[in-house]
Amino acid sequence: MSAAQHLQDKVVAVAGASGPAGQATMRRLAADGATVIGADIDQHRLDAALGAVRTAVPGAKVAGQVIDLLDPQEVHDWADHLEAEHGHVDGLFHLVGGWRGSKTFFETRIDDWDFLHDTVVRTLQHTSLAFQPALLRSQAGRYAMVSAAAAHKPTAGGAAYAAAKAATEAWTLALADSFAKETTASDGAPTAAAAILVIKALVSPEMRAAKPDAKFAGFTDTADLATTLASLWERPAAELNGQHLWLTAR
């Protein structure tokens, strides 16, 4: 079965829709037939991202919602609204993040941790808690986040970032455990899955165009990330749930 057939009746929410990863993912999902709802905190950026998807994919079933992911009630209301409107929600891709670091461990600023705690950790906590019930009710729910190789091998100056990514991985694995334990399938097999995509860093076509001589060694193209996300429905939930999918060298 092709990816398009897998996604034809799927309703997928994308948090962080206006970023390079969010736009690439929405384009790929829309091209494969999914109904895509992007969320961003900025209306202008969201409108631009949705317009770009509609231009790239004529007939795309795509919509957007301005959401403050740091407001748990807004995120819960968003999840409830999508399920009520469409009858089911089959995916939430959390493509929200940020980076802060320093030259040395001693120079690490706790302010950096505070920033990353909100943008990286807290936003993921809110989307996972809000969408978990709907994804459990879906016949094939998928939740995915993007982590970093740095979480598995922290550098001295990257303590705050590595710790934030490690925290989101642990939280996502707890979500995966809930999918395994709370499944309603008669055979006890999970129908929903949470996966962690691990990268070194992302590179977009715009970044390559701006630095044509740069090698971006070990970086993951946003299009490749989007392809991996779109393929998550091609694997059984039991096989995918709780897995690290490495898109860079370990």
Side-chain angles (χ1 to χ4, degrees), residues 26-241:
M26 289 199 299
R27 283 196 303 271
R28 179 55 191 263
L29 293 171
D32 286 346
T35 296
V36 187
I37 303 93
D40 199 88
I41 196 170
D42 184 274
Q43 183 74 65
H44 178 73
R45 292 199 307 263
L46 180 59
D47 288 344
L50 295 174
V53 173
R54 293 181 181 121
T55 298
V57 186
K61 294 176 288 186
V62 61
Q65 179 68 48
V66 174
I67 298 288
D68 179 1
L69 295 178
L70 288 175
D71 184 327
Q73 191 60 55
E74 276 195 36
V75 184
H76 276 274
D77 289 346
W78 181 42
D80 291 344
H81 171 75
L82 291 184
E83 189 175 22
E85 179 181 4
H86 299 281
H88 53 97
V89 177
D90 307 296
L92 185 289
F93 293 154
H94 189 90
L95 307 179
V96 182
W99 187 87
R100 292 284 178 89
S102 57
K103 292 183 178 180
T104 68
F105 180 82
F106 181 74
E107 293 175 296
T108 297
R109 293 167 50 88
I110 296 302
D111 287 350
D112 290 343
W113 165 255
D114 292 339
F115 169 80
L116 293 168
H117 175 265
D118 280 350
T119 59
V120 175
V121 182
R122 187 58 57 84
T123 59
L124 181 135
Q125 291 173 324
H126 290 167
T127 59
S128 59
L129 288 168
F131 280 85
Q132 190 259 10
L135 296 176
L136 270 174
R137 287 188 286 267
S138 166
Q139 293 182 356
R142 297 292 185 269
Y143 185 98
M145 61 155 288
V146 179
S147 188
H152 301 260
K153 191 176 181 180
T155 60
Y161 180 71
K165 283 299 188 182
T168 57
E169 287 200 13
W171 190 276
T172 302
L173 292 176
L175 173 64
D177 191 51
S178 81
F179 287 155
K181 289 180 175 176
E182 299 174 34
T183 179
T184 59
S186 58
D187 61 359
T191 57
I196 298 166
L197 279 62
V198 186
I199 63 169
K200 175 182 178 181
L202 288 172
V203 58
S204 66
E206 293 78 12
M207 292 169 63
R208 291 193 183 278
K211 296 183 177 180
D213 296 327
K215 296 187 181 300
F216 296 103
F219 284 36
T220 300
D221 280 278
T222 52
D224 292 336
L225 176 76
T227 296
T228 300
L229 289 169
S231 73
L232 295 184
W233 284 273
E234 298 177 20
R235 297 175 59 179
E239 175 186 307
L240 180 66
N241 195 35

